Amino acid sequence: MRKIIVLSMVTLDGIIQGPGGPEEDTSGGFKYGGWVAPYDDDDYGRVVQEELKPADYLLGRKTFEIWEDYWPAHAEFWPGINEGTKYVLSKTRNKSAWENTVFIKNATDIRRIRNSKGSDIQVWGSSELIHLLLKNDLVDEIRLKIHPLILGKGKKLFDNSSMPQAFALTDSLVTSGGVIIANYKRAGEVKTGTIGA
């Protein structure tokens, strides 16, 4: 079984919208695009370069359309992005000129891909897709870069539809700019109890 790995740059209040640049995603009047740039340092850069190794990708349509216009011409920064299979969840599209793009329709298709042979599958951006994955118990790992910012409005990493599940910390780092980089893997069911009992 392939692992589905969610990679997110996120603020303290859970915003994941438009981290890469001012024009990346202005939907809903979002005006803080590019909020990650001030936190780039050597530690952050090393982690990102590790994450950019060749993989397959699972993307929501909106994130895919941002990528589709940008990454084919900037592959020198992201080796393997053109060669990796891009699985795109969409009800409105079924083709793209970008090589190795496969359109899928629902969580059943995602389960089928997850149960197939191949490399692990990375999820970038794609807030609505992440909500669907968490609702259907389809996330194996979460890799967060938690930035010391509150933006108030924007697309959120989590909503109220997630299936309860526990995760275990597998790796962590705090950069010189105060970004907490934390990687988690699935750890079974949520356990509860009483403090001090």
PDB file of all heavy atoms in Angstrom, residues 162-187:
ATOM      1  N   SER A 162     -13.196  16.067   9.893  1.00  0.00           N
ATOM      2  CA  SER A 162     -12.155  15.051  10.038  1.00  0.00           C
ATOM      3  C   SER A 162     -12.597  13.894  10.914  1.00  0.00           C
ATOM      4  O   SER A 162     -13.246  14.091  11.944  1.00  0.00           O
ATOM      5  CB  SER A 162     -10.893  15.667  10.645  1.00  0.00           C
ATOM      6  OG  SER A 162     -10.377  16.679   9.819  1.00  0.00           O
ATOM      7  N   MET A 163     -12.199  12.687  10.518  1.00  0.00           N
ATOM      8  CA  MET A 163     -12.423  11.506  11.342  1.00  0.00           C
ATOM      9  C   MET A 163     -11.422  11.531  12.494  1.00  0.00           C
ATOM     10  O   MET A 163     -10.230  11.752  12.271  1.00  0.00           O
ATOM     11  CB  MET A 163     -12.225  10.245  10.502  1.00  0.00           C
ATOM     12  CG  MET A 163     -12.395   8.957  11.291  1.00  0.00           C
ATOM     13  SD  MET A 163     -12.152   7.497  10.251  1.00  0.00           S
ATOM     14  CE  MET A 163     -13.660   7.573   9.298  1.00  0.00           C
ATOM     15  N   PRO A 164     -11.866  11.319  13.741  1.00  0.00           N
ATOM     16  CA  PRO A 164     -10.920  11.311  14.858  1.00  0.00           C
ATOM     17  C   PRO A 164      -9.847  10.231  14.661  1.00  0.00           C
ATOM     18  O   PRO A 164     -10.165   9.085  14.338  1.00  0.00           O
ATOM     19  CB  PRO A 164     -11.801  10.999  16.066  1.00  0.00           C
ATOM     20  CG  PRO A 164     -13.170  11.451  15.659  1.00  0.00           C
ATOM     21  CD  PRO A 164     -13.255  11.160  14.191  1.00  0.00           C
ATOM     22  N   GLN A 165      -8.610  10.592  14.829  1.00  0.00           N
ATOM     23  CA  GLN A 165      -7.499   9.652  14.714  1.00  0.00           C
ATOM     24  C   GLN A 165      -6.278  10.243  15.392  1.00  0.00           C
ATOM     25  O   GLN A 165      -6.134  11.464  15.474  1.00  0.00           O
ATOM     26  CB  GLN A 165      -7.217   9.328  13.247  1.00  0.00           C
ATOM     27  CG  GLN A 165      -7.028  10.546  12.369  1.00  0.00           C
ATOM     28  CD  GLN A 165      -7.164  10.227  10.900  1.00  0.00           C
ATOM     29  OE1 GLN A 165      -6.304   9.570  10.339  1.00  0.00           O
ATOM     30  NE2 GLN A 165      -8.238  10.682  10.277  1.00  0.00           N
ATOM     31  N   ALA A 166      -5.418   9.397  15.903  1.00  0.00           N
ATOM     32  CA  ALA A 166      -4.214   9.839  16.601  1.00  0.00           C
ATOM     33  C   ALA A 166      -3.016   9.774  15.655  1.00  0.00           C
ATOM     34  O   ALA A 166      -2.958   8.936  14.756  1.00  0.00           O
ATOM     35  CB  ALA A 166      -3.969   8.964  17.824  1.00  0.00           C
ATOM     36  N   PHE A 167      -2.056  10.668  15.903  1.00  0.00           N
ATOM     37  CA  PHE A 167      -0.804  10.679  15.153  1.00  0.00           C
ATOM     38  C   PHE A 167       0.351  10.732  16.145  1.00  0.00           C
ATOM     39  O   PHE A 167       0.207  11.227  17.255  1.00  0.00           O
ATOM     40  CB  PHE A 167      -0.744  11.891  14.215  1.00  0.00           C
ATOM     41  CG  PHE A 167      -1.615  11.754  12.999  1.00  0.00           C
ATOM     42  CD1 PHE A 167      -2.974  12.011  13.067  1.00  0.00           C
ATOM     43  CD2 PHE A 167      -1.070  11.355  11.787  1.00  0.00           C
ATOM     44  CE1 PHE A 167      -3.784  11.868  11.948  1.00  0.00           C
ATOM     45  CE2 PHE A 167      -1.873  11.213  10.669  1.00  0.00           C
ATOM     46  CZ  PHE A 167      -3.227  11.467  10.736  1.00  0.00           C
ATOM     47  N   ALA A 168       1.513  10.207  15.727  1.00  0.00           N
ATOM     48  CA  ALA A 168       2.710  10.226  16.571  1.00  0.00           C
ATOM     49  C   ALA A 168       3.776  11.080  15.887  1.00  0.00           C
ATOM     50  O   ALA A 168       3.974  10.975  14.668  1.00  0.00           O
ATOM     51  CB  ALA A 168       3.229   8.809  16.780  1.00  0.00           C
ATOM     52  N   LEU A 169       4.461  11.903  16.659  1.00  0.00           N
ATOM     53  CA  LEU A 169       5.544  12.736  16.136  1.00  0.00           C
ATOM     54  C   LEU A 169       6.729  11.853  15.771  1.00  0.00           C
ATOM     55  O   LEU A 169       7.196  11.049  16.575  1.00  0.00           O
ATOM     56  CB  LEU A 169       5.953  13.766  17.185  1.00  0.00           C
ATOM     57  CG  LEU A 169       7.030  14.773  16.781  1.00  0.00           C
ATOM     58  CD1 LEU A 169       6.484  15.739  15.735  1.00  0.00           C
ATOM     59  CD2 LEU A 169       7.521  15.536  18.006  1.00  0.00           C
ATOM     60  N   THR A 170       7.231  11.985  14.540  1.00  0.00           N
ATOM     61  CA  THR A 170       8.375  11.188  14.100  1.00  0.00           C
ATOM     62  C   THR A 170       9.642  12.016  13.923  1.00  0.00           C
ATOM     63  O   THR A 170      10.742  11.478  13.944  1.00  0.00           O
ATOM     64  CB  THR A 170       8.063  10.480  12.764  1.00  0.00           C
ATOM     65  OG1 THR A 170       7.738  11.469  11.778  1.00  0.00           O
ATOM     66  CG2 THR A 170       6.908   9.507  12.929  1.00  0.00           C
ATOM     67  N   ASP A 171       9.491  13.331  13.747  1.00  0.00           N
ATOM     68  CA  ASP A 171      10.653  14.185  13.545  1.00  0.00           C
ATOM     69  C   ASP A 171      10.223  15.622  13.769  1.00  0.00           C
ATOM     70  O   ASP A 171       9.081  15.982  13.470  1.00  0.00           O
ATOM     71  CB  ASP A 171      11.191  14.012  12.127  1.00  0.00           C
ATOM     72  CG  ASP A 171      12.581  14.611  11.940  1.00  0.00           C
ATOM     73  OD1 ASP A 171      13.277  14.833  12.955  1.00  0.00           O
ATOM     74  OD2 ASP A 171      12.973  14.873  10.788  1.00  0.00           O
ATOM     75  N   SER A 172      11.129  16.454  14.290  1.00  0.00           N
ATOM     76  CA  SER A 172      10.793  17.861  14.494  1.00  0.00           C
ATOM     77  C   SER A 172      12.050  18.719  14.474  1.00  0.00           C
ATOM     78  O   SER A 172      13.157  18.238  14.708  1.00  0.00           O
ATOM     79  CB  SER A 172      10.035  18.065  15.811  1.00  0.00           C
ATOM     80  OG  SER A 172      10.867  17.743  16.908  1.00  0.00           O
ATOM     81  N   LEU A 173      11.822  19.992  14.183  1.00  0.00           N
ATOM     82  CA  LEU A 173      12.902  20.958  14.094  1.00  0.00           C
ATOM     83  C   LEU A 173      12.291  22.334  14.248  1.00  0.00           C
ATOM     84  O   LEU A 173      11.181  22.576  13.763  1.00  0.00           O
ATOM     85  CB  LEU A 173      13.566  20.829  12.706  1.00  0.00           C
ATOM     86  CG  LEU A 173      14.528  21.922  12.254  1.00  0.00           C
ATOM     87  CD1 LEU A 173      15.837  21.823  13.028  1.00  0.00           C
ATOM     88  CD2 LEU A 173      14.797  21.808  10.756  1.00  0.00           C
ATOM     89  N   VAL A 174      12.992  23.239  14.925  1.00  0.00           N
ATOM     90  CA  VAL A 174      12.579  24.635  14.973  1.00  0.00           C
ATOM     91  C   VAL A 174      13.648  25.445  14.254  1.00  0.00           C
ATOM     92  O   VAL A 174      14.825  25.388  14.602  1.00  0.00           O
ATOM     93  CB  VAL A 174      12.409  25.141  16.424  1.00  0.00           C
ATOM     94  CG1 VAL A 174      11.982  26.602  16.428  1.00  0.00           C
ATOM     95  CG2 VAL A 174      11.397  24.285  17.185  1.00  0.00           C
ATOM     96  N   THR A 175      13.242  26.182  13.220  1.00  0.00           N
ATOM     97  CA  THR A 175      14.201  26.961  12.444  1.00  0.00           C
ATOM     98  C   THR A 175      14.574  28.242  13.186  1.00  0.00           C
ATOM     99  O   THR A 175      13.910  28.637  14.144  1.00  0.00           O
ATOM    100  CB  THR A 175      13.624  27.332  11.064  1.00  0.00           C
ATOM    101  OG1 THR A 175      12.599  28.318  11.240  1.00  0.00           O
ATOM    102  CG2 THR A 175      13.073  26.111  10.346  1.00  0.00           C
ATOM    103  N   SER A 176      15.602  28.906  12.696  1.00  0.00           N
ATOM    104  CA  SER A 176      16.027  30.161  13.315  1.00  0.00           C
ATOM    105  C   SER A 176      14.947  31.229  13.213  1.00  0.00           C
ATOM    106  O   SER A 176      14.890  32.148  14.019  1.00  0.00           O
ATOM    107  CB  SER A 176      17.321  30.661  12.677  1.00  0.00           C
ATOM    108  OG  SER A 176      17.129  30.892  11.290  1.00  0.00           O
ATOM    109  N   GLY A 177      14.049  31.115  12.224  1.00  0.00           N
ATOM    110  CA  GLY A 177      12.958  32.065  12.065  1.00  0.00           C
ATOM    111  C   GLY A 177      11.722  31.720  12.884  1.00  0.00           C
ATOM    112  O   GLY A 177      10.711  32.409  12.793  1.00  0.00           O
ATOM    113  N   GLY A 178      11.799  30.648  13.677  1.00  0.00           N
ATOM    114  CA  GLY A 178      10.682  30.287  14.545  1.00  0.00           C
ATOM    115  C   GLY A 178       9.643  29.382  13.907  1.00  0.00           C
ATOM    116  O   GLY A 178       8.561  29.190  14.464  1.00  0.00           O
ATOM    117  N   VAL A 179       9.938  28.801  12.743  1.00  0.00           N
ATOM    118  CA  VAL A 179       9.020  27.854  12.115  1.00  0.00           C
ATOM    119  C   VAL A 179       9.219  26.485  12.759  1.00  0.00           C
ATOM    120  O   VAL A 179      10.349  25.990  12.850  1.00  0.00           O
ATOM    121  CB  VAL A 179       9.253  27.758  10.597  1.00  0.00           C
ATOM    122  CG1 VAL A 179       8.342  26.709   9.970  1.00  0.00           C
ATOM    123  CG2 VAL A 179       9.036  29.121   9.945  1.00  0.00           C
ATOM    124  N   ILE A 180       8.132  25.888  13.220  1.00  0.00           N
ATOM    125  CA  ILE A 180       8.178  24.541  13.781  1.00  0.00           C
ATOM    126  C   ILE A 180       7.893  23.562  12.649  1.00  0.00           C
ATOM    127  O   ILE A 180       6.823  23.598  12.042  1.00  0.00           O
ATOM    128  CB  ILE A 180       7.137  24.363  14.901  1.00  0.00           C
ATOM    129  CG1 ILE A 180       7.405  25.355  16.039  1.00  0.00           C
ATOM    130  CG2 ILE A 180       7.134  22.920  15.416  1.00  0.00           C
ATOM    131  CD1 ILE A 180       6.291  25.423  17.063  1.00  0.00           C
ATOM    132  N   ILE A 181       8.857  22.718  12.368  1.00  0.00           N
ATOM    133  CA  ILE A 181       8.686  21.689  11.346  1.00  0.00           C
ATOM    134  C   ILE A 181       8.445  20.381  12.089  1.00  0.00           C
ATOM    135  O   ILE A 181       9.288  19.936  12.872  1.00  0.00           O
ATOM    136  CB  ILE A 181       9.902  21.610  10.424  1.00  0.00           C
ATOM    137  CG1 ILE A 181      10.066  22.963   9.698  1.00  0.00           C
ATOM    138  CG2 ILE A 181       9.763  20.457   9.435  1.00  0.00           C
ATOM    139  CD1 ILE A 181      11.311  23.095   8.874  1.00  0.00           C
ATOM    140  N   ALA A 182       7.275  19.802  11.888  1.00  0.00           N
ATOM    141  CA  ALA A 182       6.873  18.621  12.643  1.00  0.00           C
ATOM    142  C   ALA A 182       6.259  17.587  11.712  1.00  0.00           C
ATOM    143  O   ALA A 182       5.341  17.899  10.957  1.00  0.00           O
ATOM    144  CB  ALA A 182       5.866  19.016  13.729  1.00  0.00           C
ATOM    145  N   ASN A 183       6.782  16.376  11.770  1.00  0.00           N
ATOM    146  CA  ASN A 183       6.279  15.281  10.948  1.00  0.00           C
ATOM    147  C   ASN A 183       5.565  14.269  11.838  1.00  0.00           C
ATOM    148  O   ASN A 183       6.085  13.886  12.893  1.00  0.00           O
ATOM    149  CB  ASN A 183       7.427  14.592  10.207  1.00  0.00           C
ATOM    150  CG  ASN A 183       8.145  15.524   9.254  1.00  0.00           C
ATOM    151  OD1 ASN A 183       7.624  16.564   8.882  1.00  0.00           O
ATOM    152  ND2 ASN A 183       9.340  15.153   8.851  1.00  0.00           N
ATOM    153  N   TYR A 184       4.396  13.827  11.392  1.00  0.00           N
ATOM    154  CA  TYR A 184       3.574  12.897  12.159  1.00  0.00           C
ATOM    155  C   TYR A 184       3.174  11.709  11.298  1.00  0.00           C
ATOM    156  O   TYR A 184       2.959  11.846  10.101  1.00  0.00           O
ATOM    157  CB  TYR A 184       2.281  13.591  12.619  1.00  0.00           C
ATOM    158  CG  TYR A 184       2.494  14.791  13.495  1.00  0.00           C
ATOM    159  CD1 TYR A 184       2.635  16.059  12.944  1.00  0.00           C
ATOM    160  CD2 TYR A 184       2.562  14.662  14.881  1.00  0.00           C
ATOM    161  CE1 TYR A 184       2.825  17.172  13.751  1.00  0.00           C
ATOM    162  CE2 TYR A 184       2.758  15.772  15.692  1.00  0.00           C
ATOM    163  CZ  TYR A 184       2.892  17.018  15.123  1.00  0.00           C
ATOM    164  OH  TYR A 184       3.084  18.116  15.917  1.00  0.00           O
ATOM    165  N   LYS A 185       3.052  10.543  11.933  1.00  0.00           N
ATOM    166  CA  LYS A 185       2.493   9.380  11.243  1.00  0.00           C
ATOM    167  C   LYS A 185       1.308   8.853  12.038  1.00  0.00           C
ATOM    168  O   LYS A 185       1.191   9.096  13.242  1.00  0.00           O
ATOM    169  CB  LYS A 185       3.537   8.281  11.056  1.00  0.00           C
ATOM    170  CG  LYS A 185       3.963   7.613  12.352  1.00  0.00           C
ATOM    171  CD  LYS A 185       4.913   6.471  12.079  1.00  0.00           C
ATOM    172  CE  LYS A 185       5.285   5.792  13.393  1.00  0.00           C
ATOM    173  NZ  LYS A 185       6.184   4.669  13.205  1.00  0.00           N
ATOM    174  N   ARG A 186       0.447   8.121  11.355  1.00  0.00           N
ATOM    175  CA  ARG A 186      -0.752   7.573  11.989  1.00  0.00           C
ATOM    176  C   ARG A 186      -0.387   6.729  13.195  1.00  0.00           C
ATOM    177  O   ARG A 186       0.590   5.983  13.169  1.00  0.00           O
ATOM    178  CB  ARG A 186      -1.508   6.709  10.994  1.00  0.00           C
ATOM    179  CG  ARG A 186      -2.158   7.465   9.881  1.00  0.00           C
ATOM    180  CD  ARG A 186      -2.734   6.502   8.876  1.00  0.00           C
ATOM    181  NE  ARG A 186      -3.718   5.645   9.524  1.00  0.00           N
ATOM    182  CZ  ARG A 186      -5.020   5.718   9.324  1.00  0.00           C
ATOM    183  NH1 ARG A 186      -5.499   6.581   8.471  1.00  0.00           N
ATOM    184  NH2 ARG A 186      -5.829   4.921   9.946  1.00  0.00           N
ATOM    185  N   ALA A 187      -1.201   6.845  14.236  1.00  0.00           N
ATOM    186  CA  ALA A 187      -0.924   6.097  15.469  1.00  0.00           C
ATOM    187  C   ALA A 187      -2.199   5.494  16.051  1.00  0.00           C
ATOM    188  O   ALA A 187      -2.343   5.382  17.262  1.00  0.00           O
ATOM    189  CB  ALA A 187      -0.233   7.004  16.486  1.00  0.00           C
TER     190      ALA A 187
END
